[in-house]
Amino acid sequence: MVSYKRLNPEDVHFSSAVLSGEPRPILEEVSVPDPEEASLLLRRPSCSVTTCLVVIGCLLLLLCGGWLLGTMFWLHRPSNQQPHRPPPPASGQIPESKAQPKVNDTAASFRTEACSRIPEAWRFDCYPERGVVVTRELCEARNCCFIPASAPSSPATSPSQKNGIPWCFYPPDFPSYMLVSLNDTLLGQKGVLEKKVKTYYPGDILTLEVDIRYETNTRLRVRITDPSSSRFEVPISVPTVTKKAESPDYSVELSKQPFGLIVRRISTSAVLLNTTVAPLFYADQFLQLSTSLPSQFIYGLGEHRSTFLHDVHWNTLTMWARDVPPTEQTNLYGAHPFYLSMEDGGNAHGFFLLNSNAMDVVLQPAPALTWRSIGGILDFYVFLGPDPGSVIQQYVEVVGYPAMPIYWALGYHLCRWGYGTSNSTWEVVKKMRNYRIPQDVQWNDIDYMDRFMDFTFDPTNFGTLPDLVRDLHAHDQRYVMILDPGISSTQPEGSYWPFDEGLKRGVFIKDAEGKTLIGKVWPGLTAYPDFSDEVTQEWWYDNLRRFHEKVPFDGLWIDMNEPSNFLDGSTNGCPANSLENPPYTPGILGGLLRAKTVCASAQQKQSIHYNLHSLYGLMEAKASASALKQIVAKRPFVISRSTFPSQGLYSGHWLGDNRSQWKDLYTSIAGILTFNLLGIPLVGADICGFSEEPQEELCVRWTQLGAFYPFTRNHNAIDVKPQDPTVFSPLARTAMKQALLLRYSLFPVLYTLFHHAHVHGHTVARPIMFEFPNDVKTYGIDKQFLWGKSLIVTPVLDPGVNYVEGYFPEGVWYDYYTGNSVRSAGEELRLDAPLDKINLHLREGSVIPTQAPNLTLWVSTGQPLHLVSALSDDGSASGDLFWDDGESIDTYENNQYAYIVFSVAQNVMTSQVLHNNVEATYITVESATFYGVKVKPSRVLVNSQDATFTYRDNQVLTVTDLGLNLSQNFTISWM
């Protein structure tokens, strides 16, 4: 029991979870000593008055002298050593007055004054544990400052509410590491850090090594490790550098005591990283690193449901893969410790912590950020940009460029949990065809399986599944099925090959005693494949190959791969050890690492699950993509729920089990944009929502927005009404069909954007601020977005309206449908938006290739091209097209592609084939439209020959009947 007696209200700070009402472990026991027991000093015999006066006088002189020296040192210390922070610590040692409390009231008052000088926004939490009543005694036992916050963190909350201003925080002189030696290396510098005083977490490591690597002119890498013992490191491939950058865009300053790094952008002197703002922690199961931020504009840090721009007002984001419907302030399916930050003047930089352990990322309004991980090492990168798009390019250069998707991945996908039978699934496909609504891919959820077991199909209800798949193929359509990692462990021996063979090969995760760990998922009791083992990957391939011989599926949907578990840990529970109950547990849903997953102490080939948990989805995606490449000999299509950095190499992602609510429609945009930052551009949300009953208006608006998701799938849950386009009214059905046809007509644009993502690390769905980094008004926009640099999408996100307001950065924007121009000074504009329309505008200076749409992309991609040019004031525009066979592996790497550049200047469009391929010979350019032609032409020439044209009063010129071969250069001119 916690002792509450003798505690005044101002002496008690409730930690986050106490006030949030979440169930937590038993609170720490706190006792308050009686006054007569409080002193730890031995009683001394009384002395003479003279002796006492002399001693007291000497003490006062020493204290005053020390205070004066310390104050002078603080005042005269160069300000550029500690930018963006309160007064820096003067020492890494605990003063003697703190080691022996109540020795001197004067020293205590000096300490209180030093603590009070730290502004609330710069107070870094010294007692982040949840479920603890933080008292003054507990706080000061950690040698930290205890000051109740002066006001609630917001008008509606109490001062000690979750994510509020910490009442217990680090003082300036909290013990930390000091840099005791530094030597030059081939890549930069390497130093030794030492700490003389242990902190309050067990396994404190007193000697560390810091390795600073100037890897490129725009990329800095820093590794802080334990030189005496190897620790877990994330097993993903990153670039190996052998030569130091010659002219880095950054400078690195080192603070010796306390140790810290200050990274600046040389061109502006902006401080991008400053780790001296709070103590560095490096214990066995607790790593903590804090830094200032140059602004409040910070993005990334997936996977969380939030606005695109993160709130820095005492906001904690927890990372530990978890099966839970998208919910605010909750750790979701993936873990991505990367952020992008905007600076003053439009520059941007990024930061990536290569660490897979459970962690909290704390944002506070200084602005500052704290990383708090419970394992691994501190291995981080700083990317200099300087524009936000370049930051993402530099990030994916480290974690891996996203794969080029197979062409049909960009079509319309349809799925639901609850078709019930293969014939019912087939009927929906036929209805879509009858209404002539585009559809490329049909999916099935777990109801296709025999008793929910992987690599089976229900012989009764889904007996015609092979016939359905053959029919899809005959109509140039594809089939994708779901797979969960949990393998049924209760079937009679010899009746279920996946489990029997898995046991034989030893592919399953083991418990702490070395036995197969058993959890529970849809098929009942299950074992979990260990995808960190190459043997498991081969077993996975064998299972897929065997099933493909029965049902020739085209792609895989891997779900429940956090991994999810209906139990906490296993059927036998989990051991009572520090892996299951670490000294610090981040704010994960359920409060325990094993909550609705397997035991943290479970054993895998590469490490314990404690280290590998958030990598599970990545490793399964890698195994699945590898298997599909071998089975279908084409680009693999994999969509995964759980993700980790480098996932884009192997799979796309959908945003999980959302709801059929307008709020979910809106938040999906932030999710799409964030995952494009994270190097996973093939991303979408379940159109119309997964759970709850879909409303017709919502479904129409969602289909319109979903037509511009990079990955477009309609999916809903069991026991709710169907929500495919065929079930709605004629008006709604027509509106959905038009939106999908619009997407299909823009396929050449989307496909080319994915090429640039694959080769250059560009984003596909792009935040507006990426193209307008000097316009601060764009920094928080997440109700609109761009496709590439050219098309701005302004969807309706509210019910019952026939208009929408959107922000248009400075310049000329053209209505995509009409060519009508809008000149914006950087302002919000009100746009008509009837139920059958999504607003789409083309940016001045753009050329985009489009095609006549059809029911499948196989048919659409063979149609002639129509070029749309949006001219800037000087009459210029440019664009490009990447084209290949759409499905072969590594066409760019093997030079099996065509690449054409279009440009307009001085009334002449030129097409230049920079790289040719036979695929381009199959396509013709039949027409071209030019928006913003200010004077009606008297003549139009195509390759110097007269051509038919029309000109409208809104300054739109259209040239038809061109018949130009895409593989040959051409010109279109007017006079």
Side-chain angles (χ1 to χ4, degrees), residues 9 99 134 197 246 252 262 344-345 471 473 521 534 575 647 743 772 776 802 829 874 894 950:
V134 182
V197 179
E246 294 181 357
V252 180
I262 300 169
D344 291 341
D471 177 75
H473 291 168
V521 206
E534 291 183 0
Q647 190 96 18
R743 176 188 178 85
F772 300 90
V776 180
N802 58 6
L829 301 175
D874 64 2
N894 296 326
T950 61

Side-chain angles (χ1 to χ4, degrees), residues 452-757:
F452 302 126
M453 294 189 297
D454 280 349
F455 310 112
T456 70
F457 64 94
D458 184 335
T460 303
N461 294 322
F462 281 82
T464 59
L465 184 58
D467 300 319
L468 163 61
V469 176
R470 281 189 285 269
D471 177 75
L472 289 168
H473 291 168
H475 288 82
D476 303 318
Q477 295 173 302
R478 301 294 177 261
Y479 179 73
V480 170
M481 64 180 192
I482 195 171
L483 278 180
D484 295 341
I487 301 296
S488 176
S489 62
T490 57
Q491 305 310 308
E493 187 175 352
S495 66
Y496 186 44
W497 193 86
F499 181 71
D500 294 338
E501 187 67 14
L503 275 183
K504 179 180 176 182
R505 301 191 198 182
V507 307
F508 297 118
I509 293 176
K510 308 294 191 296
D511 63 19
E513 297 178 353
K515 301 174 183 176
T516 299
L517 183 145
I518 302 298
K520 183 179 182 181
V521 206
W522 294 110
L525 300 182
T526 56
Y528 293 84
D530 174 11
F531 290 104
S532 75
D533 191 341
E534 291 183 0
V535 173
T536 307
Q537 297 168 25
E538 186 65 27
W539 164 86
W540 190 247
Y541 160 74
D542 288 339
N543 278 284
L544 288 168
R545 176 183 51 79
R546 286 162 57 95
F547 190 70
H548 191 266
E549 292 170 357
K550 302 173 185 176
V551 180
F553 57 88
D554 300 283
L556 289 176
W557 171 20
I558 51 177
D559 191 17
M560 306 287 285
N561 55 351
E562 290 71 32
S564 180
N565 186 357
F566 295 166
L567 307 175
D568 288 349
S570 77
T571 54
N572 295 325
C574 302
N577 57 31
S578 63
L579 293 176
E580 300 296 336
N581 302 288
Y584 176 82
T585 301
I588 59 179
L589 181 63
L592 300 169
L593 296 180
R594 61 182 176 272
K596 297 299 176 280
T597 190
V598 302
C599 297
S601 55
Q603 301 178 50
Q604 297 186 235
K605 175 74 172 181
Q606 291 191 16
S607 187
I608 50 176
H609 192 73
Y610 181 92
N611 295 321
L612 295 175
H613 171 80
S614 290
L615 293 164
Y616 194 87
L618 169 64
M619 291 179 169
E620 185 189 14
K622 185 176 182 179
S624 300
S626 174
L628 273 177
K629 277 185 180 181
Q630 299 176 66
I631 293 168
V632 302
K634 297 175 183 178
R635 297 174 202 166
F637 175 78
V638 181
I639 294 293
S640 175
R641 190 168 74 181
S642 187
T643 59
F644 191 81
S646 79
Q647 190 96 18
L649 282 164
Y650 313 107
S651 83
H653 172 62
W654 98 103
L655 298 179
D657 296 340
N658 59 1
R659 300 169 181 84
S660 299
Q661 296 180 0
W662 289 92
K663 182 177 182 180
D664 292 75
L665 171 66
Y666 159 60
T667 57
S668 72
I669 298 177
I672 301 304
L673 295 179
T674 295
F675 270 90
N676 270 265
L677 266 61
L678 301 175
I680 308 174
L682 187 63
V683 59
D686 281 347
I687 293 172
C688 302
F690 172 70
S691 63
E692 303 181 10
E693 296 291 345
Q695 306 164 3
E696 181 169 278
E697 182 190 6
L698 173 63
C699 210
V700 170
R701 294 304 192 187
W702 211 324
T703 303
Q704 291 169 342
L705 171 60
F708 289 92
Y709 291 160
F711 164 60
T712 297
R713 181 185 73 163
N714 180 318
H715 174 49
N716 67 323
I718 198 168
D719 296 330
V720 296
K721 296 177 182 178
Q723 62 187 32
D724 64 85
T726 69
V727 303
F728 294 103
S729 69
L731 176 63
R733 186 170 60 243
T734 300
M736 294 180 190
K737 177 179 176 179
Q738 289 175 347
L740 297 175
L741 287 171
L742 175 61
R743 176 188 178 85
Y744 276 52
S745 72
L746 292 167
F747 172 80
V749 177
L750 186 60
Y751 195 66
T752 301
L753 289 175
F754 269 100
H755 160 71
H756 288 303

